[in-house]
Amino acid sequence: MVNIQPKTLFVGKKLIFLPSCHSTNDIANEIIQNKEFIDGTVILTDHQTAGKGQRGNVWESTLGENLLMSVILKTSFVKIERQFDLSIAVAISVFEALNDFGVSNLSIKWPNDIYINHKKIGGILIENSIVGQKMGNSIIGIGINIHQTKFENPRASSLTLESPKIPFNRNIIAEKTCEFLEQNLAFLKDGKTNLLKKKYYDNLFAINENRLFKISEGIMEGKITGVTENGQLKLISQNKEKYYNIKEIEYLFND
Ligand code: BTN
């Protein structure tokens, strides 16, 4: 059983815990479809049978070892063309929750993966519904690998593997994530997007570093300089500014 008591006004005040489900994002969607829901409702589970990752990938997680959470938000205050600001606010919130534990070498890899060293320990899947010309609701799916020690993907890892000295607690991570999310949503509502972007850039993996990327034309050397308003990655390569969507570019690692 999971019980969280975040110090918030709305995020996580209503909690639904399911020992097992197909996907907390899909449960969130069923809740939105079926009835009026409470803004900030959090769904937590120990196990997903069909966990969803970005780009149609499966999100694998060992039973009871990790954080699997979805937050349902009313997001009509976000302009459709500024959806990426919401993604930034969520990524920063997860970053700040983990940073509070004293994790070092933590970063956000564009667009919203959470990395320690050169390994992915967390991912975010945001599903927005649009009503007319406005955003309606958003389902914020967050997966953080906490205690899992075995991964098929060599680039995947967990908090415990990367920071073995820190005693991580899943409920506290969930509570802190809710608390930082509420703070950063308040910045977003107040139009403080420059502050959010600064926090994002301050912690963006490999920003201003020359490194290699794989693109459709082959291997390219470039330097990440930022992201555009609609969330494309901005790079300088051979003195030209270039823009990439998520499926168009892959980071290359040499470890
Ligand atoms: C990614 O591929 O990086 C995004 C992973 C998101 C996983 C989380 S786990 C909780 C929520 N429910 C899902 O089915 N997916 C998200």
Side-chain angles (χ1 to χ4, degrees):
M1 185 61 198
V2 170
N3 186 19
I4 62 163
Q5 291 178 330
K7 296 183 198 73
T8 53
L9 293 174
F10 73 104
V11 178
K13 285 294 172 199
K14 164 88 180 151
L15 171 71
I16 297 168
F17 171 73
L18 300 165
S20 178
C21 66
H22 37 297
S23 150
T24 55
N25 269 32
D26 287 350
I27 297 286
N29 195 33
E30 286 166 18
I31 292 171
I32 290 174
Q33 303 300 327
N34 288 340
K35 57 175 190 286
E36 185 55 30
F37 67 89
I38 297 172
D39 194 14
T41 298
V42 163
I43 299 126
L44 286 169
T45 191
D46 272 343
H47 180 242
Q48 296 186 131
T49 53
K52 300 193 296 185
Q54 291 163 12
R55 298 180 294 281
N57 289 329
V58 173
W59 186 257
E60 306 276 7
S61 175
T62 310
L63 173 72
E65 300 204 318
N66 303 319
L67 181 77
L68 302 166
M69 157 169 161
S70 296
V71 188
I72 317 178
L73 295 175
K74 299 192 177 181
T75 45
S76 53
F77 62 92
V78 181
K79 292 200 179 89
I80 294 184
E81 62 276 15
R82 300 302 294 264
Q83 288 175 49
F84 194 66
D85 290 344
L86 178 64
S87 174
I88 287 180
V90 175
I92 293 166
S93 304
V94 175
F95 175 94
E96 290 178 331
L98 300 178
N99 199 39
D100 238 35
F101 279 83
V103 176
S104 37
N105 299 327
L106 189 64
S107 62
I108 301 167
K109 177 173 165 283
W110 173 83
N112 54 17
D113 290 342
I114 307 298
Y115 266 54
I116 300 182
N117 302 317
H118 288 175
K119 300 278 175 99
K120 176 165 170 171
I121 59 95
I124 295 163
L125 177 66
I126 301 179
E127 297 181 275
N128 294 318
S129 68
I130 288 162
V131 183
Q133 295 303 306
K134 292 177 90 179
M135 294 266 279
N137 309 309
S138 299
I139 297 168
I140 312 292
I142 300 170
I144 301 173
N145 300 329
I146 304 177
H147 299 300
Q148 188 170 334
T149 50
K150 293 200 174 66
F151 293 92
E152 283 186 12
N153 180 343
R155 293 245 73 81
S157 189
S158 66
L159 291 170
T160 299
L161 282 176
E162 299 303 314
S163 294
K165 291 198 180 128
I166 301 178
F168 293 103
N169 174 301
R170 188 172 63 164
N171 288 1
I172 299 177
I173 294 175
E175 285 169 352
K176 283 181 191 280
T177 302
C178 291
E179 289 163 13
F180 282 106
L181 184 58
E182 189 163 296
Q183 274 180 26
N184 288 310
L185 287 171
F187 289 136
L188 192 56
K189 279 180 195 156
D190 290 349
K192 296 190 175 136
T193 44
N194 284 346
L195 170 68
L196 293 173
K197 209 158 187 183
K198 180 180 183 311
K199 292 204 261 182
Y200 185 74
Y201 281 177
D202 282 349
N203 299 296
L204 190 62
F205 178 78
I207 191 162
N208 294 324
E209 283 173 23
N210 274 310
R211 58 182 296 124
L212 296 177
F213 299 89
K214 193 168 153 198
I215 54 170
S216 59
E217 295 88 349
I219 308 285
M220 167 188 80
E221 188 176 346
K223 189 164 78 175
I224 296 172
T225 56
V227 291
T228 64
E229 278 184 5
N230 61 8
Q232 287 181 309
L233 187 67
K234 257 196 294 190
L235 276 124
I236 299 265
S237 178
Q238 295 177 325
N239 293 322
K240 282 200 197 107
E241 189 153 73
K242 299 186 175 187
Y243 306 91
Y244 293 92
N245 291 312
I246 185 74
K247 286 185 181 153
E248 298 168 345
I249 185 160
E250 189 186 322
Y251 294 55
L252 293 177
F253 293 89
N254 50 16
D255 59 350

